[in-house]
Amino acid sequence: MLTDPAVRALVAAVNAGDREAFHGVLTPDATMSDDGSDRDLQQWTDREIFGAGGHMDIESESEDGRSLIVRFRNDTWGEMRTAWRFEVAENGRISRFETGQT
């Protein structure tokens, strides 16, 4: 059970392959980066998550629940150990996430 409700909802949406729930937990202007480079969120999630069977297995979370170490896998790249950091807006939705290999 992840501490932060928005992060918990995003992980559940990824693992269920639920694109609508995933976008529902994000702010309309949400942004993201992968390995330190800003990416187009829609294109990246289509390619890396929803079009490739993306799945997150949580190894650990920080005390605030907004930083995770994850074994992420998809049909394109296989499994890799990744770090994820989330910014959550006052409305409880994720406004930005950053991911990259550890």
Side-chain angles (χ1 to χ4, degrees):
M1 178 77 113
L2 296 171
T3 304
D4 188 279
V7 173
R8 184 172 54 246
L10 184 132
V11 170
V14 167
N15 290 345
D18 188 338
R19 188 185 314 255
E20 186 175 325
F22 178 88
H23 289 289
V25 76
L26 300 175
T27 61
D29 60 345
T31 60
M32 60 90 50
S33 72
D34 181 14
D35 286 328
S37 297
D38 279 0
R39 307 285 185 194
D40 179 282
L41 189 141
Q42 185 71 43
Q43 289 176 0
W44 188 90
T45 57
D46 285 349
R47 183 181 64 249
E48 301 291 336
I49 297 174
F50 299 108
H55 188 86
M56 301 171 83
D57 289 318
I58 309 305
E59 286 187 7
S60 64
E61 72 171 333
S62 67
E63 288 182 31
D64 67 0
R66 295 183 179 172
S67 295
L68 307 176
I69 299 297
V70 173
R71 286 186 330 275
F72 180 79
R73 68 180 179 274
N74 67 25
D75 297 337
T76 304
W77 304 108
E79 184 174 300
M80 63 195 88
R81 191 168 192 256
T82 56
W84 294 69
R85 190 175 72 75
F86 300 90
E87 295 176 18
V88 178
E90 288 183 19
N91 65 3
R93 296 168 108 192
I94 294 170
S95 59
R96 180 170 175 82
F97 67 88
E98 299 172 354
T99 186
Q101 292 190 57
T102 61

